[in-house]
mmCIF file of all heavy atoms in Angstrom:
data_model
loop_
_atom_site.group_PDB
_atom_site.id
_atom_site.type_symbol
_atom_site.label_atom_id
_atom_site.label_comp_id
_atom_site.label_asym_id
_atom_site.label_seq_id
_atom_site.Cartn_x
_atom_site.Cartn_y
_atom_site.Cartn_z
ATOM 1 N N ASP A 90 49.739 126.067 133.404
ATOM 2 C CA ASP A 90 48.792 125.021 133.327
ATOM 3 C C ASP A 90 49.068 123.583 132.618
ATOM 4 O O ASP A 90 48.310 122.766 132.459
ATOM 5 C CB ASP A 90 47.467 125.521 132.989
ATOM 6 C CG ASP A 90 47.395 126.022 131.597
ATOM 7 O OD1 ASP A 90 48.371 125.894 130.822
ATOM 8 O OD2 ASP A 90 46.377 126.635 131.185
ATOM 9 N N ASN A 91 50.309 123.631 132.160
ATOM 10 C CA ASN A 91 50.698 122.356 131.346
ATOM 11 C C ASN A 91 52.190 122.081 131.701
ATOM 12 O O ASN A 91 53.114 122.182 130.942
ATOM 13 C CB ASN A 91 50.590 122.579 129.754
ATOM 14 C CG ASN A 91 50.618 121.387 129.051
ATOM 15 O OD1 ASN A 91 50.997 120.311 129.450
ATOM 16 N ND2 ASN A 91 50.235 121.444 127.790
ATOM 17 N N VAL A 92 52.336 121.625 132.942
ATOM 18 C CA VAL A 92 53.672 121.352 133.530
ATOM 19 C C VAL A 92 53.899 119.867 133.558
ATOM 20 O O VAL A 92 53.059 119.095 134.014
ATOM 21 C CB VAL A 92 53.693 121.980 135.001
ATOM 22 C CG1 VAL A 92 55.052 121.625 135.603
ATOM 23 C CG2 VAL A 92 53.560 123.436 134.980
ATOM 24 N N ASN A 93 55.025 119.444 133.187
ATOM 25 C CA ASN A 93 55.354 117.953 133.172
ATOM 26 C C ASN A 93 56.731 117.736 133.747
ATOM 27 O O ASN A 93 57.752 118.304 133.251
ATOM 28 C CB ASN A 93 55.372 117.560 131.694
ATOM 29 C CG ASN A 93 54.071 117.771 131.001
ATOM 30 O OD1 ASN A 93 53.199 116.977 131.073
ATOM 31 N ND2 ASN A 93 54.033 118.954 130.236
ATOM 32 N N ASN A 94 56.814 117.102 134.830
ATOM 33 C CA ASN A 94 58.127 116.688 135.505
ATOM 34 C C ASN A 94 58.532 115.418 134.860
ATOM 35 O O ASN A 94 57.891 114.363 135.046
ATOM 36 C CB ASN A 94 57.935 116.656 136.907
ATOM 37 C CG ASN A 94 59.178 116.194 137.664
ATOM 38 O OD1 ASN A 94 60.309 116.156 137.081
ATOM 39 N ND2 ASN A 94 59.119 115.885 138.876
ATOM 40 N N ILE A 95 59.679 115.480 134.071
ATOM 41 C CA ILE A 95 60.090 114.213 133.505
ATOM 42 C C ILE A 95 61.195 113.545 134.238
ATOM 43 O O ILE A 95 61.828 112.552 133.836
ATOM 44 C CB ILE A 95 60.471 114.442 132.002
ATOM 45 C CG1 ILE A 95 61.547 115.389 131.825
ATOM 46 C CG2 ILE A 95 59.306 114.817 131.167
ATOM 47 C CD1 ILE A 95 62.091 115.532 130.421
ATOM 48 N N GLY A 96 61.502 114.054 135.434
ATOM 49 C CA GLY A 96 62.411 113.336 136.374
ATOM 50 C C GLY A 96 63.843 113.719 136.136
ATOM 51 O O GLY A 96 64.226 114.821 135.820
ATOM 52 N N GLY A 97 64.616 112.616 136.316
ATOM 53 C CA GLY A 97 66.061 112.895 136.265
ATOM 54 C C GLY A 97 66.732 112.467 134.920
ATOM 55 O O GLY A 97 66.297 111.437 134.268
ATOM 56 N N ILE A 98 67.832 113.180 134.665
ATOM 57 C CA ILE A 98 68.587 112.815 133.429
ATOM 58 C C ILE A 98 69.352 111.520 133.521
ATOM 59 O O ILE A 98 69.657 110.945 132.503
ATOM 60 C CB ILE A 98 69.556 113.994 133.058
ATOM 61 C CG1 ILE A 98 70.026 113.943 131.577
ATOM 62 C CG2 ILE A 98 70.671 114.055 134.060
ATOM 63 C CD1 ILE A 98 70.772 115.136 131.158
ATOM 64 N N GLY A 99 69.461 111.019 134.769
ATOM 65 C CA GLY A 99 70.122 109.710 134.995
ATOM 66 C C GLY A 99 69.482 108.631 134.292
ATOM 67 O O GLY A 99 70.054 107.557 133.959
ATOM 68 N N SER A 100 68.153 108.704 134.107
ATOM 69 C CA SER A 100 67.439 107.583 133.547
ATOM 70 C C SER A 100 67.150 107.917 132.033
ATOM 71 O O SER A 100 66.442 107.084 131.254
ATOM 72 C CB SER A 100 66.068 107.356 134.194
ATOM 73 O OG SER A 100 65.297 108.576 134.138
ATOM 74 N N TYR A 101 67.650 109.026 131.488
ATOM 75 C CA TYR A 101 67.461 109.356 130.067
ATOM 76 C C TYR A 101 68.324 108.440 129.233
ATOM 77 O O TYR A 101 69.546 108.312 129.483
ATOM 78 C CB TYR A 101 67.872 110.878 129.846
ATOM 79 C CG TYR A 101 67.652 111.341 128.502
ATOM 80 C CD1 TYR A 101 66.512 111.368 127.803
ATOM 81 C CD2 TYR A 101 68.808 111.704 127.720
ATOM 82 C CE1 TYR A 101 66.353 111.820 126.577
ATOM 83 C CE2 TYR A 101 68.668 112.276 126.384
ATOM 84 C CZ TYR A 101 67.424 112.281 125.858
ATOM 85 O OH TYR A 101 67.291 112.689 124.507
ATOM 86 N N LYS A 102 67.817 107.846 128.194
ATOM 87 C CA LYS A 102 68.493 106.878 127.386
ATOM 88 C C LYS A 102 69.082 107.536 126.109
ATOM 89 O O LYS A 102 69.835 106.932 125.395
ATOM 90 C CB LYS A 102 67.572 105.755 126.983
ATOM 91 C CG LYS A 102 66.963 104.971 128.173
ATOM 92 C CD LYS A 102 67.901 104.095 128.880
ATOM 93 C CE LYS A 102 67.261 103.384 129.881
ATOM 94 N NZ LYS A 102 67.776 103.426 131.183
ATOM 95 N N GLY A 103 68.673 108.794 125.771
ATOM 96 C CA GLY A 103 69.211 109.379 124.501
ATOM 97 C C GLY A 103 70.554 109.957 124.655
ATOM 98 O O GLY A 103 71.231 109.934 125.644
ATOM 99 N N ARG A 104 70.961 110.620 123.603
ATOM 100 C CA ARG A 104 72.287 111.232 123.526
ATOM 101 C C ARG A 104 72.297 112.608 124.170
ATOM 102 O O ARG A 104 71.292 113.344 124.034
ATOM 103 C CB ARG A 104 72.627 111.365 122.024
ATOM 104 C CG ARG A 104 74.102 111.896 121.783
ATOM 105 C CD ARG A 104 74.321 111.799 120.350
ATOM 106 N NE ARG A 104 75.710 112.226 120.119
ATOM 107 C CZ ARG A 104 76.207 112.545 118.918
ATOM 108 N NH1 ARG A 104 75.478 112.454 117.903
ATOM 109 N NH2 ARG A 104 77.463 112.966 118.893
ATOM 110 N N LEU A 105 73.360 112.839 124.897
ATOM 111 C CA LEU A 105 73.429 114.153 125.590
ATOM 112 C C LEU A 105 74.332 115.129 124.796
ATOM 113 O O LEU A 105 75.341 114.618 124.109
ATOM 114 C CB LEU A 105 73.997 114.029 126.985
ATOM 115 C CG LEU A 105 73.208 113.189 127.944
ATOM 116 C CD1 LEU A 105 73.909 113.068 129.281
ATOM 117 C CD2 LEU A 105 71.760 113.736 128.103
#
Side-chain angles (χ1 to χ4, degrees):
D90 61 7
N91 195 346
V92 177
N93 304 276
N94 176 8
I95 60 173
I98 197 169
S100 61
Y101 180 67
K102 304 288 188 233
R104 187 174 182 194
L105 298 178

